């Protein structure tokens, strides 16, 4: 079941240019970043956030005089939200980073005085993979909103969330039903009708011969096969020729037949829609059989357990990253502050990509709530969130459009090397023009492509 984790390709990260550092725009509260026409985040000095700021974003948390029991989950003194993830299911600890980040955000925000004086209460609800719908129904009856959630089987509760008018500011939405649902907002939208194709263009430029004989492997699950089909359609626009496409069983351990078939086919590029637990035995088998194609993977493979457990067979693998790298936190005030707050609240927490997205979702939600003052209602919150068309989480990722469900056009490429990850592209020296334009990322508008395939649609409110 762990293979279901290979679901989310999100938006992208941010890095302050070493040659051009801009100060934060004091009026950028709702957008989460100063104006940046490149699609990258607003630049800011590396190191630590300034007082009252989270990276380039004015903190939405602080004292105030908000009052009134204005809606479900709201009292004179408190605002209650629900966060759903799956750490107690068949794969213990699955997406634990979502819960850890929301614990940290609750503490970070309340230490500043809450939101307009109301304290934040985050209730963590474990869907255990199969109980997502039940937890959504609980949130409908008990909370102002869902914030920072990521449910692997979120399609089971998407319509329930919409039917009860519950705002969902998700860390990530997985299924077409949820990612395109009414009242659902993501800091890093991943709509089914578009795809971040920039990494494919980079592979095509760097390894033009490899893309002529490409392989796409995925798990035999409808959601992962849909994600893989989206990738294939998008990568074809960059010139990829997929000569080998196959699905593996959940929890596959015998990769030899697939590897032998790829070797006989002469595969020179491979990607896998799955999780790092499955690519480790796959890459070991490839190494044993002498198959060494270019391997490029989705952002969910950005997990230190992958290179540490895989060892040398993973060296040289490329992973496209959509948030700021943990390895470069000392150059990004937002990431440095996130990691500080995470450690302060959950000392043993392992930073995770989805945890960063959960934090950005919480910031997006809190920024909207702050602007509502005392009159915090679900309807007003939905209206406010729908007006947010620039968001970078204070510098945690590239500038997206949550209100219109449009992704950021930014990415970086990390390479597995020596048990960790190192930046491969863009680099500040060899790729200086791209690096500086995107403040450390490639944020070209051509990095996203529209898809024409039928990959499903979102849950809709009855009108």
């Amino acid at each position: 079941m762990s293979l279901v984790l290979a679901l989310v390709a999100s938006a992208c990260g941010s890095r302050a240019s070493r040659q051009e550092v801009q100060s934060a725009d004091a009026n950028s509260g709702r957008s989460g970043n100063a104006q940046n026409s490149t699609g990258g985040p607003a630049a800011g000095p590396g190191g630590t956030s300034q007082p009252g700021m989270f990276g380039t974003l004015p903190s939405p948390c602080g004292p105030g005089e908000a009052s009134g029991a204005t809606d479900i989950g709201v009292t004179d003194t408190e605002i209650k939200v629900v966060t759903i993830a799956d750490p107690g299911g068949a794969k213990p600890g699955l997406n634990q980073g979502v819960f850890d980040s929301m614990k940290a955000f609750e503490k970070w925000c309340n230490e500043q005085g809450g939101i307009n004086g109301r304290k934040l209460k985050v209730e963590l609800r474990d869907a255990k993979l199969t109980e997502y719908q039940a937890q959504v129904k609980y949130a409908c009856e008990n909370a102002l909103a869902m914030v920072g959630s990521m449910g692997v089987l979120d399609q089971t509760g998407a319509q329930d969330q919409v039917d009860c008018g519950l705002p969902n500011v998700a860390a990530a939405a997985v299924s077409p039903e949820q990612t395109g649902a009414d009242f659902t907002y993501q800091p890093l939208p991943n709509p089914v009708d578009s795809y971040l194709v920039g990494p494919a263009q980079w592979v095509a430029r760097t390894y033009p011969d490899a893309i002529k004989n490409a392989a796409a492997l995925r798990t035999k699950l409808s959601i992962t096969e849909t994600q893989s089909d989206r990738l294939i359609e998008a990568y074809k626009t960059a010139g990829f020729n997929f000569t080998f496409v196959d699905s593996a069983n959940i929890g596959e351990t015998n990769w030899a037949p697939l590897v032998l078939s790829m070797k006989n086919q002469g595969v020179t590029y491979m990607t896998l829609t799955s999780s790092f637990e499955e690519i480790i035995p796959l890459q070991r088998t490839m190494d044993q059989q002498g198959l060494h194609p270019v391997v490029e993977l989705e952002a969910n493979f950005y997990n230190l357990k992958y290179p540490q457990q895989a060892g040398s067979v993973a060296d040289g693998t490329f992973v496209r990253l959509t948030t700021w790298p943990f390895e470069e936190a000392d150059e990004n005030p937002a990431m440095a502050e996130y990691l500080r707050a995470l450690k302060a609240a959950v000392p043993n927490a392992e930073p995770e990509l989805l945890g960063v997205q959960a934090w950005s979702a919480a910031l997006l939600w809190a920024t909207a709530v702050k602007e509502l003052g005392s009159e915090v209602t679900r309807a007003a919150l939905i209206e406010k969130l729908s007006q947010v068309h620039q968001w970078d989480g204070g510098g945690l990722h590239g500038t997206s459009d949550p209100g219109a469900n449009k992704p950021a056009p930014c990415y970086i490429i990390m390479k597995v090397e020596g048990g960790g990850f190192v930046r491969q592209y863009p680099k500040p020296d060899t790729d200086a023009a791209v690096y500086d334009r995107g403040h450390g990322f490639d944020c070209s508008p051509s990095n996203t492509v529209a898809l024409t395939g039928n990959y499903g649609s979102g849950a809709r409110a009855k009108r």
Side-chain angles (χ1 to χ4, degrees):
M1 185 61 73
S2 65
L3 301 182
V4 187
L5 185 56
L7 305 171
V8 185
S10 307
C12 54
S14 60
R15 182 170 184 171
S17 164
R18 292 176 182 171
Q19 300 184 11
E20 180 185 15
V21 176
Q22 302 171 351
S23 60
D25 181 355
N27 297 318
S28 65
R30 185 160 67 196
S31 69
N33 58 280
Q35 284 286 344
N36 181 3
S37 60
T38 68
T48 353
S49 292
Q50 300 300 310
M53 302 288 290
F54 180 83
T56 60
L57 175 70
S59 173
C61 302
E65 299 180 355
S67 62
T70 53
D71 208 331
I72 298 171
V74 183
T75 70
D76 275 336
T77 59
E78 181 181 275
I79 301 176
K80 179 179 176 179
V81 301
V82 159
T83 301
I84 303 173
D86 299 290
K91 184 177 185 295
L94 181 63
N95 298 333
Q96 179 64 41
V98 166
F99 278 2
D100 291 343
S101 286
M102 290 305 296
K103 286 180 189 176
F105 187 85
E106 179 184 46
K107 182 176 187 295
W108 178 82
C109 191
N110 286 338
E111 284 177 346
Q112 297 175 65
I115 305 174
N116 293 324
R118 288 185 175 117
K119 289 301 178 76
L120 171 60
K121 179 175 176 56
V122 177
E123 185 168 353
L124 307 177
R125 305 289 296 186
D126 190 348
K128 303 174 185 176
L129 288 177
T130 60
E131 299 175 15
Y132 183 81
Q133 183 183 38
Q135 300 304 344
V136 169
K137 289 181 176 180
Y138 175 87
C140 283
E141 297 174 358
N142 294 277
L144 173 71
M146 287 166 52
V147 179
S149 296
M150 194 282 191
V152 168
L153 301 179
D154 60 10
Q155 72 272 22
T156 61
Q159 192 62 55
D160 298 273
Q161 173 238 316
V162 170
D163 287 347
C164 78
L166 182 69
N168 179 13
V169 190
V174 177
S175 65
E177 293 88 346
Q178 188 70 80
T179 196
D182 287 341
F183 318 145
T184 295
Y185 305 91
Q186 302 173 72
L188 297 170
N190 182 33
V192 296
D193 60 356
S194 69
Y195 204 90
L196 181 66
V197 77
Q201 296 166 349
W202 175 81
V203 173
R205 292 193 304 270
T206 310
Y207 301 98
D209 292 333
I211 69 171
K212 298 174 183 177
N213 202 348
L217 303 183
R218 66 271 191 99
T219 308
K220 285 182 181 176
L221 289 166
S222 60
I223 184 64
T224 49
E225 289 179 334
T226 296
Q227 295 285 29
S228 178
D229 288 343
R230 292 175 63 233
L231 178 149
I232 290 169
E233 181 186 340
Y235 275 42
K236 283 181 178 179
T237 67
F240 279 64
N241 180 31
F242 285 91
T243 60
F244 190 94
V245 178
D246 208 341
S247 299
N249 293 322
I250 296 174
E252 183 64 72
T253 56
N254 181 20
W255 289 95
L258 275 176
V259 170
L260 183 58
S261 295
M262 286 194 293
K263 185 175 181 180
N264 290 338
Q265 183 69 34
V267 163
T268 49
Y269 165 92
M270 188 206 74
T271 190
L272 174 69
T273 305
S274 181
S275 71
F276 79 84
E277 290 95 341
E278 279 62 49
I279 199 170
I280 292 173
L282 170 58
Q283 287 189 300
R284 285 175 179 162
T285 305
M286 289 165 57
D287 187 60
Q288 290 164 4
Q289 296 200 20
L291 177 63
H292 298 104
V294 174
V295 179
E296 183 249 347
L297 303 170
E298 296 176 326
N300 62 287
F301 288 85
Y302 180 62
N303 186 319
L304 265 180
K305 294 177 184 177
Y306 166 42
Q308 290 173 351
Q309 293 179 17
S312 61
V313 298
D315 282 353
T317 298
F318 301 113
V319 177
R320 54 187 185 271
L321 185 57
T322 53
T323 63
W324 182 263
F326 300 130
E327 293 82 1
E328 300 176 0
D330 60 347
E331 299 180 45
N332 182 292
M335 183 57 78
E337 177 65 8
Y338 165 73
L339 292 176
R340 185 206 64 77
L342 182 65
K343 182 169 182 169
V346 190
N348 296 322
E350 292 286 342
E352 295 182 6
L353 176 71
L354 284 172
V356 177
Q357 294 179 203
W359 183 281
S360 184
L363 278 173
L364 175 60
W365 169 82
T367 300
V369 169
K370 176 181 173 62
E371 293 188 8
L372 295 177
S374 288
E375 300 304 312
V376 177
T377 66
R378 287 177 174 178
L381 179 59
I382 289 168
E383 177 65 23
K384 187 65 67 175
L385 288 165
S386 70
Q387 298 170 4
V388 180
H389 298 298
Q390 285 190 320
W391 183 258
D392 72 359
L396 290 174
H397 51 77
T399 305
S400 66
D401 184 347
N405 198 29
K406 294 180 180 179
C410 309
Y411 74 95
I412 64 172
I413 300 292
M414 302 292 282
K415 183 172 72 172
V416 177
E417 185 176 286
F421 294 95
V422 297
R423 175 184 286 266
Q424 179 68 23
Y425 172 84
K427 294 181 178 179
D429 46 5
T430 55
D431 311 298
V434 173
Y435 182 99
D436 289 343
R437 266 198 314 272
H439 304 294
F441 283 73
D442 185 332
C443 294
S444 168
S446 63
N447 286 343
T448 57
V449 63
L451 302 180
T452 60
N454 182 9
Y455 302 110
S457 57
R460 291 287 174 260
K462 296 180 177 66
R463 291 177 169 85

